Every structure is written in C-alpha cells, then in structure tokens.
Amino acid sequence: MAVIAISRQVAALGDETAAAAAEKLGYKFINRKIIEETIVRLGFPQEKLRKYDEKKPGFFASLAKDRDEYLDYLQTAILEAASEGNCILIGRGAFIILEDLPNLLSFRLVTKDSIRIERLKKEFSWDDKQARQRIEESDSNRLGFHKSFFNLENEDPSHFHLVMNTGLLDVDAASDIIVDMVKSYITPAKERAGEKKLNNLLTAQKLVNKLVFDSKLNINFLRAVITDETVTLQGVADSSALVEKAVLESKKILPDYKIESTISVVQDFKAYP
C-alpha cells in the first residue's frame, strides 16, 4: 500500500491533479470534506473548525485549548485515512504528519502568481484585485497554519519528494508523474515497513486521545512515541502525580507495551490564559 500526500498553492490544480492520479491508480482521494467530516465525527465541534482548519489561528484561538484538541483530532483523521492504504491526501499538513512513513510519496504543486490569477478570474468571474487578494489570503493562511501547528515552512521543498509547476505541466502530465513514481519508488519492503510505522503512529495517537479526552489528564503538548515494544510519553505537566497517573492509565490501555515517561514537570505551568 502506498500513501500519497499533496500540498498545493491555491489555483495550482491540486485537487484536480490528486483526483486524476487517484483515478489512474485506483486509489481513494481523501479530500477536504472527508477530513473535516472525520474530525467532527471524532469529537471536534463543527462550529470551531473555521478557526483552525488550514488557517493561521487568531491570537486568542492560538492560545486556546481548542487548538491542541484540533491538532489531536486532525492527526487522528489523517492517520486513520492513511491506514486504509492506497490513498491520496491533500492539504492539512498530511505531508508532515506522515513524513516518517517509508511508503509515503509527497508532492507540492505550485505555479506563477500570474497564472493563478488568470485561473481564479476564469473560475469565479473575478477581477485582478479579487484574485490577487484571494491568493495573498490563502498563501498567508497556509503558511501560518503550518508554522503554528507544525513549526515549519510549507513552501520548503526539502519536505517533498517532488515539486511540480502546473503552469508547465497540465493535470494529465502531473498525475502521470505521480503514478509513475508510485510504481517505481514504492516497493513491497517499503509497504511492509510503512504499514508497521503507521500502526505505531495510530496506536500512539489513540493513546494520547484517550489520556486527554477520556481520562481528562491535563498534560500539555502530550505526545506518545512507540519504538519496538516501548511507549514513551512526552509533554509538560504541573505535578509528578499527574505524570504517574498518565503512566498508570497508559499501562491499562496498552498492557502489552512497556511505558516510559519523559514528561517534564514544571510547577504552576500554564499553557493557556
């Protein structure tokens, strides 16, 4: 099973290319609507999505606990979708959430502003000013989203296997390149290693969700990392008792794993105002 993650500029034919590649490969295209529906199904309020979904959170939104909850649900949604295999995910930091998978191929689609402006004008019957405003708003939001949630520049080409210019490549050509790379790059060994890694990532994320949402443990920036048969908890807590409780709860949830903690204890730590 291969997993493909696509990052794109607005009006760079991202959705069109992803859909075409999915059809040619016989893969499932996990679009924005599917991810949003999954995040809400998992428990995040629909009315709060607009504050965070592929946007730079406002000042107060960035300090709210909702921000961390959204990230937990987003990562779960991406990992669940990827665990089905043979799929293409677009946007929402999928390329970084899944970056360590051996069977991942990640692409970024870009093109000149002048071409994006003409595409938006044609699609929405806008003038130059409206199209440029949409580009500036979208680029700023996507940059802010990735910086806020993942502390990286989404425009950095080093995160991708390939960056394609859809001003030079049409949808058919760009999707053919994706198909060819899947066939030449993804091997049975990478598929097996990717499946194992993905299972660990999803198990770790579900553990975090249970500790945060079910057990109501107030540990900030909580993360779990699975290596072999060991789970290591990371984060910041305001007491040793809370850390001990997290370890005990984790042992109940994952009894077949050894549970370790590197959670920092900081007295009177307040992550939110």
Side-chain angles (χ1 to χ4, degrees):
M1 74 176 188
V3 178
I4 299 169
I6 292 181
S7 171
R8 78 288 188 222
Q9 294 177 319
V10 67
L13 305 180
D15 285 85
E16 295 88 342
T17 302
E23 183 175 358
K24 291 175 181 179
L25 287 164
Y27 281 18
K28 184 175 181 180
F29 176 27
I30 311 297
N31 59 21
R32 172 178 182 167
K33 182 180 179 182
I34 293 174
I35 293 298
E36 288 181 348
E37 289 175 348
T38 303
I39 291 171
V40 172
R41 172 180 59 79
L42 289 168
F44 194 76
Q46 174 77 49
E47 63 272 15
K48 293 182 179 180
L49 267 181
R50 61 181 180 83
K51 294 182 180 179
Y52 303 102
D53 199 40
E54 212 162 42
K55 292 181 179 178
K56 177 183 179 181
F59 177 74
F60 290 108
S62 67
L63 297 176
K65 193 171 184 179
D66 289 341
R67 174 200 174 281
D68 291 343
E69 291 184 358
Y70 168 80
L71 181 58
D72 283 334
Y73 286 126
L74 170 65
Q75 291 180 149
T76 306
I78 295 293
L79 291 169
E80 281 189 353
S83 69
E84 297 180 10
N86 296 344
C87 63
I88 298 180
L89 301 103
I90 191 164
R92 276 140 203 90
F95 73 92
I96 190 64
I97 293 172
L98 304 171
E99 189 171 40
D100 291 335
L101 293 184
N103 60 331
L104 174 74
L105 275 170
S106 55
F107 300 89
R108 180 161 172 79
L109 305 185
V110 302
T111 194
K112 293 179 180 178
D113 283 358
S114 58
I115 294 176
R116 294 200 285 163
I117 287 171
E118 291 305 314
R119 286 174 178 167
L120 290 172
K121 286 168 62 178
K122 181 178 181 180
E123 182 177 359
F124 297 105
S125 299
W126 287 345
D127 58 26
D128 281 2
K129 182 178 180 181
Q130 290 172 308
R132 187 170 294 280
Q133 285 177 340
R134 172 65 179 127
I135 286 172
E136 291 175 353
E137 177 186 39
S138 176
D139 287 355
S140 176
N141 269 329
R142 289 175 182 177
L143 185 66
F145 172 84
H146 290 86
K147 191 67 176 176
S148 174
F149 287 104
F150 306 107
N151 193 31
L152 60 81
E153 303 281 342
N154 63 310
E155 298 174 350
D156 182 354
S158 67
H159 292 291
F160 306 97
H161 291 83
L162 186 67
V163 178
M164 291 188 281
N165 184 341
T166 59
L168 302 175
L169 298 167
D170 62 15
V171 169
D172 192 49
S175 59
D176 277 346
I177 290 172
I178 293 174
V179 171
D180 289 342
M181 284 194 66
V182 169
K183 293 178 178 178
S184 63
Y185 179 78
I186 303 299
T187 64
K190 287 177 179 177
E191 289 179 341
R192 290 191 296 271
E195 186 174 358
K196 180 179 179 180
K197 180 67 176 179
L198 187 53
N199 181 64
N200 284 344
L201 289 172
L202 189 54
T203 298
Q205 185 61 54
K206 287 183 175 180
L207 172 63
V208 169
N209 292 353
K210 286 182 178 294
L211 294 176
V212 172
F213 302 126
D214 297 343
S215 300
K216 308 295 184 184
L217 298 185
N218 189 27
I219 299 175
N220 297 283
F221 319 119
L222 182 61
R223 185 168 179 255
V225 178
I226 296 179
T227 305
D228 296 325
E229 301 302 318
T230 300
V231 178
T232 303
L233 301 177
Q234 302 172 349
V236 181
D238 60 7
S239 72
S240 297
L242 189 56
V243 175
E244 291 174 6
K245 186 173 183 181
V247 171
L248 288 175
E249 288 295 316
S250 298
K251 288 179 178 179
K252 293 178 184 177
I253 297 168
L254 297 176
D256 296 330
Y257 289 82
K258 177 182 178 182
I259 309 297
E260 297 181 347
S261 172
T262 59
I263 297 173
S264 300
V265 177
V266 180
Q267 298 292 335
D268 301 320
F269 177 81
K270 301 294 180 184
Y272 313 103

